[in-house]
Every structure is written in C-alpha cells, then in structure tokens.
Amino acid sequence: TSLLLMAGIMVTVGLCRRLTRRRLRSHQRLYTFFLEMFSTFQICTCTNELCLLGNVEPKPHTALTLTYGFTVLHGLTLTGSTCNPCGTLQPMWGGGISVKMGGLKIAAQFVAAVLARVFMHFIWSLEMSEPHLGALSQGCSDPMQTTEMQAFCIELLFSVVFQLIVLQVERVNPKYKVHLIALLITMLVYAGGNLTGAIFNPALAFSLHPNCFYDRFLSYALVYWIAPSLGKFLILHVF
C-alpha cells in the first residue's frame, strides 16, 4: 500500500509539473514557484512515508533499499528542481539567479513542506496500511539521538560531503550521476540516520519533524537549518 501511495504521488506530481510547463511558462515567477513546490512536495511526502517503513524487516536493509530506489526515481523525474534551500543558495551566491527568484524558490520549498505534512496526516488518518496505525500520535519523533553539538557537527559534515560530491560529479553522464547521488545519500543515511536522521535539507527536516521545531525551535533550527546552510557556504567559499 505504501509503495502504491508513493507511486501515485510521483505520477500526480509528474502530471502537475507537465501542466505547469504548458500553462505557466510565460509567467516566469509562477512557473518557477509551482515547479519547485510540486517537486519538493513529492520528496517530502515520499520521505514521510519512507520514515514509517524504517522498522520493516529485515532492518535496515529494506529501508536502505527503498531510500536508494526512490532517490533514483526522484533524480530521474525531478530534473531542473533543487528541492533544497541549501541547493538554491549556490546559484544565488554565484549570481546565476537573483535574490528575489532564489527567495521565491525557497518559499515554494517550505510551502511544499507544510502541504506535504498536512497531506500525509490526512492519508495516515485513513489507516490504509499497518504502518499508518498510530502515526498521528507520535508527536515529535525526536530524530536527534545525540547531543546538540554532535548533531550540529554531523549535519554540517554530511552537508559538506554531499555538496562536495555533487560538485565533483557534475560532468558525469546524467544516467550514471543519478545513481551516484542516490548511493551517496543512502550511505549517509546508513552512517548517521540513527543519530540525526541524516537529512541535510532544511525544508525536508521541517516537513518530517514540525512538532520538534515547535517544541525546541532554536535547537532544531541550529541543527537542521543553520548547519546544512553553513556547510553549503563552506563549499562555495572553498570552490
């Protein structure tokens, strides 16, 4: 049921992206906003569902296999979208896009994060599959299973590693590049998923753990917003 749900979301988002390209291409700001919003919505909804499948046996093989597979699918279906506020900082810093357009993209990403959480809450309330039972009563699932300073350093390190590898594989054939990125993300999730969740995406972190931001905003903003953004700026400064 979960796999069918995620497949349905990806098909729907694909249709919405195609419709956006046809109808709004002449309206640059609306085109950019909706294209980024739909793409980020797909990643956030699918990742929310994948988090429920983390305890499916055999652990952690099932979760890691699904992470790799769906990361490849996201890479193949969401070309042209960053879906990550940190990824939007690079063209803003380099002058590739204006600050206003970059801010529009980041706003679209956070709007999509909120919409994805609301949508998944509705889906989970229907209790269509066993993992959905009790999903709404979890509250803050507290992905930080270590100290705040260690969590900050882990997310900072993962962000630096991820952005550095992405820069190194820019010239790789796209059909191989998507697998390399998916493998990298899966390895990072395996290495630090049990400590911080290995998210390194501010919008995705807010979609996955909004209750944690409400309860401990400063701590979670430091770890899941400032740390990956700082990692991005370190890479941009070095390169």
Side-chain angles (χ1 to χ4, degrees):
T1 302
S2 293
L3 294 178
L4 289 174
L5 170 64
M6 289 186 283
I9 290 171
M10 295 179 72
V11 170
T12 304
V13 168
L15 293 174
C16 291
R17 279 167 55 88
R18 178 174 296 182
L19 185 63
T20 299
R21 287 193 178 97
R22 289 182 177 179
R23 302 285 182 168
L24 298 177
R25 187 175 289 275
S26 59
H27 306 279
Q28 188 60 37
R29 291 185 180 178
L30 284 176
Y31 172 77
T32 300
F33 182 88
F34 280 105
L35 206 62
E36 196 67 33
M37 187 188 72
F38 288 134
S39 301
T40 308
F41 178 84
Q42 174 177 310
I43 287 182
C44 291
T45 50
C46 290
T47 306
N48 268 281
E49 186 68 16
L50 282 174
C51 287
L52 295 183
L53 303 179
N55 293 322
V56 174
E57 297 291 345
K59 295 189 296 185
H61 305 85
T62 301
L64 292 175
T65 301
L66 291 173
T67 298
Y68 175 82
F70 276 92
T71 303
V72 170
L73 291 175
H74 292 323
L76 293 174
T77 59
L78 301 179
T79 54
S81 299
T82 56
C83 308
N84 187 338
C86 296
T88 308
L89 294 175
Q90 181 175 348
M92 289 174 61
W93 181 270
I97 60 174
S98 65
V99 174
K100 184 178 293 186
M101 189 61 72
L104 187 67
K105 282 191 171 187
I106 292 175
Q109 292 157 1
F110 276 98
V111 168
V114 174
L115 291 177
R117 189 65 179 183
V118 172
F119 174 75
M120 293 310 297
H121 268 228
F122 169 72
I123 294 296
W124 292 341
S125 68
L126 301 178
E127 298 185 343
M128 294 186 296
S129 66
E130 184 177 347
H132 294 175
L133 302 177
L136 296 180
S137 61
Q138 289 181 357
C140 173
S141 55
D142 200 5
M144 263 198 280
Q145 299 299 315
T146 183
T147 65
E148 184 178 309
M149 182 55 64
Q150 287 178 336
F152 176 86
C153 293
I154 290 171
E155 287 293 311
L156 174 63
L157 175 62
F158 283 5
S159 178
V160 168
V161 170
F162 177 74
Q163 302 296 342
L164 182 61
I165 298 300
V166 168
L167 286 175
Q168 296 301 316
V169 301
E170 274 188 348
R171 297 183 180 179
V172 175
N173 189 311
K175 66 180 180 180
Y176 301 125
K177 178 182 176 180
V178 67
H179 289 280
L180 291 174
I181 298 299
L183 180 61
L184 172 64
I185 291 176
T186 304
M187 291 173 62
L188 292 177
V189 170
Y190 178 72
N194 62 324
L195 297 175
T196 65
I199 303 173
F200 47 90
N201 181 333
L204 178 59
F206 187 67
S207 182
L208 293 176
H209 307 290
N211 293 324
C212 298
F213 281 91
Y214 301 150
D215 296 340
R216 297 165 53 192
F217 177 78
L218 292 179
S219 296
Y220 277 77
L222 178 68
V223 173
Y224 294 105
W225 289 357
I226 297 177
S229 300
L230 179 59
K232 183 65 177 181
F233 277 116
L234 287 175
I235 292 297
L236 292 175
H237 180 70
V238 172
F239 290 90

